[in-house]
Amino acid sequence: MAMAAPSLDAISVILENPSPDVSTGMPDIVVQVLDLSSKGNRYMFTASDGKKKLKGILPSDLTPQVISGNIQNLGLIRILDYSLNDIPSKSEKYVIVTKCEAVSPALEMEIKTEDKSEEASIILKRKKGNEVTSEVREEAGIILKPKQEMIAKSAAQIVHEQHGNMAPAARMAMTRRVHPLVSLNPYQGSWTIRVRVTNKGSMRTYKNARGEGCVFNVELTDEDGTEIQATMFNEAARKFFDRFQLGKVYYISKGTLKVANKQFKTVKNDYEMTLNENSEVEEASNEASFVPETKFNFVPIDLLGPYVNGKDLVDVIGVVQSVSPTMSIRRKINNETIPKRDITIADETKKTVVVSLWNELATNVGQELLDIVDQSPVIAIKSVKVGDFQGVSVSALSRSIVLVNPDLPEAKELRSWYDSEGKGTSLASVSTGVSPSTKSGLRSMYSDRVSLSYITENPSLGEDKPVYFSVKAYISFIKPEQTMWYRACKTCNKKVTEAIGSGYWCEGCQKNVEECSLRYILVVRVSDASGEAYLSAFNQEAESVIGCSADELDKLKSQVGEENSYQAKLKQATWVPHLFRISVSQNEYNNEKRQRITVRAVAPVDFAAESRFLLEEISKMRAS
């Protein structure tokens, strides 16, 4: 049976044309995708034409096509734009596919061409004047899609039409092919990029073992919305600091790339750029500038917990529930007063979060949202910081981008959900079940997540000062004979003793009180997949575990002939999963140091949020 197949000598065509010019017409390059595998946020593959093979990369912006199944292993793709790169250390080449389209889903086997007559019949090309077409061929029920018709122009025509009296920067673009940022890598040779400065840092000085110096960085964005951070030191910093202006477009070449330092990177890119004094930076002043496409990677509101006080910036989207008036906040650093406005948003996770807008965002966008808040607008915000104010909160930065009612698929889905069911649904703050951050170290239930065995197998944890973790575990046993509560003063919650005559004596208040309340001091055994441990829980956390107050449980215990009610209540609380925020410290008992694990906060498991959290963890494991 005849099968659909790649283009004749497609790999040879790529090797002979390392930097194609799409404006003059691309040859029809159809290859079979082999050995497709993920590496970080991009996919590696082997391109095959049946005779030759070439290693290739599908950049991160093509990842959705792989995930959706549009591009498949053993399938065929038509390469519409690419760049060929060398890896000097390995003495091999590979192709970075910057634009492609799927031609066929996965075939039954790898295509291997042996018969030259069959090879010649794979794809017939015809040229009619300046029009390049590709014949549609159907074999084995698979139709190869024709390449889109293109108008081919000679290089002379393009130079005649565009050269004119163009600026030096434009001539730079004409003499070198402009590369998209997504195609750059440390192994690439010469390149030219066309980017807009979307954020500019201040000049900073540093001092180390090699001496003193200065440094500054800029964030650059190309037309496709891909970002990269560029850093300049010493001479380069002094040379380019005044040249780079926020919002302007530049052609840049002769820079170097390296793997980004996660500790300092501010944009989502695997690489970072360094410019030296020999790098070329020319403003694109005499041509139409571009507005970069804003790309979002939204984090659901109920999954913001793991990002609390982290270094990563996130993107959020939500339906506006409320908008506060403008507030004036005084900075501690310079005593300056700046405007602030808080906005509450909700999404399909049925959670809400407060977003703080500052400066111009508070006065401009914030006022616009206040005027239309009754219409429940959708806002998308790029690059926000997740903090721990009141549990979990979000704060916009100077580089943040806020879009009101954006034309995005996610915004349309959110609007549809809200109009159909969201506005009638009970919404809860994402901070519910999350303790505010204090000096005792309480944070999100999703920060510093560990297993129980990690704690029990490290007896030195908390030796100097308490350390804090989050765990997901089941209550496996509550000893019914233990002392589960103490008598407490209703005013100060401190322990009281029986007074002479009647009532109780409170040492804290230094007075007699007629009544007292019971407060839990509970020890429970918890288990997870790695092992078990004993946790100490106090009143509020113990009430969440038991399901009733200490006074109510005492009544069950004191009922004559109803002892089973007390036992049943404790049994009912076992084998229930909870999220715990815990502290680990060292206590001395009989001259021996022992590990003490104390519950600082407890929340029920939101299984949807937990599943998303686990998927995030799996993605991080794959990336590493």
Side-chain angles (χ1 to χ4, degrees), residues 101-118:
E101 62 180 9
V103 173
S104 165
L107 306 180
E108 294 182 0
M109 64 185 74
E110 177 185 342
I111 298 296
K112 294 184 178 179
T113 303
E114 296 178 359
D115 185 0
K116 290 187 178 180
S117 61
E118 178 188 351

Side-chain angles (χ1 to χ4, degrees), residues 299-452:
V299 175
I301 291 178
D302 67 344
L303 273 184
L304 291 174
Y307 296 93
V308 169
N309 292 335
K311 296 184 180 297
D312 291 335
L313 302 180
V314 302
D315 306 336
V316 295
I317 187 171
V319 180
V320 177
Q321 302 295 290
S322 64
V323 181
S324 77
T326 302
M327 299 169 279
S328 294
I329 305 298
R330 190 176 297 278
R331 279 179 164 171
K332 292 181 180 179
I333 301 175
N334 53 13
N335 214 27
E336 178 187 357
T337 300
I338 57 175
K340 175 194 176 186
R341 195 189 297 266
D342 287 339
I343 296 169
T344 302
I345 63 172
D347 69 3
E348 292 171 279
T349 64
K350 300 178 183 177
K351 297 290 186 182
T352 64
V353 69
V354 175
V355 181
S356 296
L357 302 181
W358 305 84
N359 297 313
E360 290 80 9
L361 288 178
T363 54
N364 298 337
V365 179
Q367 184 60 46
E368 177 187 352
L369 292 172
L370 183 62
D371 295 339
I372 60 173
V373 65
D374 57 331
Q375 302 173 22
S376 301
V378 174
I379 62 168
I381 314 178
K382 182 173 181 62
S383 299
V384 295
K385 183 80 172 173
V386 184
D388 55 17
F389 180 68
Q390 295 182 347
V392 178
S393 62
V394 170
S395 183
L397 307 172
S398 59
R399 68 169 65 95
S400 300
I401 300 173
V402 182
L403 302 181
V404 180
N405 291 323
D407 185 16
L408 297 170
E410 295 90 345
K412 294 175 182 176
E413 291 176 10
L414 191 57
R415 169 56 61 194
S416 177
W417 165 79
Y418 188 76
D419 290 343
S420 61
E421 61 172 299
K423 57 186 175 183
T425 302
S426 176
L427 303 173
S429 170
V430 69
S431 299
T432 303
V434 178
S435 297
S437 177
T438 66
K439 291 182 180 178
S440 60
L442 303 188
R443 281 172 59 188
S444 163
M445 292 297 182
Y446 291 96
S447 60
D448 310 314
R449 175 73 71 84
V450 297
S451 63
L452 291 176

Side-chain angles (χ1 to χ4, degrees), residues 120-287:
S121 67
I122 290 175
I123 290 181
L124 302 176
K125 297 180 182 176
R126 295 176 181 175
K127 289 189 178 179
K128 298 178 181 179
N130 286 335
E131 189 176 11
V132 180
T133 64
S134 178
E135 183 174 322
V136 177
R137 184 171 60 89
E138 183 176 357
E139 295 185 5
I142 298 175
I143 299 176
L144 298 187
K145 298 177 185 177
K147 181 181 178 183
Q148 294 180 351
E149 295 183 353
M150 300 175 62
I151 304 299
K153 296 182 180 180
S154 68
Q157 285 177 296
I158 295 172
V159 170
H160 177 72
E161 292 174 6
Q162 298 182 0
H163 198 277
N165 294 320
M166 59 178 58
R171 283 196 286 273
M172 179 193 295
M174 290 298 300
T175 56
R176 297 182 188 177
R177 177 175 177 242
V178 175
H179 288 67
L181 283 177
V182 73
S183 70
L184 300 188
N185 62 82
Y187 308 107
Q188 206 160 344
S190 60
W191 44 258
T192 299
I193 56 174
R194 183 171 178 258
V195 289
R196 181 182 289 274
V197 177
T198 49
N199 193 52
K200 179 182 176 181
S202 58
M203 183 75 79
R204 307 184 305 275
T205 58
Y206 65 88
K207 189 175 184 179
N208 56 28
R210 290 177 290 181
E212 297 181 357
C214 57
V215 60
F216 93 100
N217 55 53
V218 291
E219 292 173 14
L220 308 172
T221 308
D222 68 3
E223 199 162 358
D224 295 329
T226 306
E227 302 171 303
I228 196 167
Q229 179 175 292
T231 303
M232 287 139 280
F233 294 90
N234 302 324
E235 290 301 321
R238 288 185 281 269
K239 177 180 179 181
F240 295 122
F241 183 77
D242 292 329
R243 187 172 304 180
F244 276 123
Q245 299 296 319
L246 188 63
K248 290 189 176 182
V249 177
Y250 299 86
Y251 286 100
I252 301 175
S253 63
K254 296 185 180 179
T256 58
L257 276 85
K258 64 179 180 179
V259 176
N261 186 334
K262 293 183 179 181
Q263 184 178 356
F264 301 110
K265 76 172 186 175
T266 57
V267 299
K268 288 181 171 61
N269 198 313
D270 294 337
Y271 303 116
E272 61 184 357
M273 183 183 298
T274 301
L275 302 179
N276 57 41
E277 57 269 29
N278 296 320
S279 299
E280 295 181 3
V281 177
E282 296 288 348
E283 183 181 346
S285 55
N286 289 352
E287 59 177 273

Side-chain angles (χ1 to χ4, degrees), residues 20 70 72 74 93 183 220 276 298 333 376 458 477 491 496 500 561 595:
N70 196 30
Q72 299 180 7
L74 294 179
K93 297 178 182 291
S183 70
L220 308 172
N276 57 41
F298 294 116
I333 301 175
S376 301
N458 289 276
F477 180 66
T491 303
V496 298
I500 299 174
Q595 198 176 64

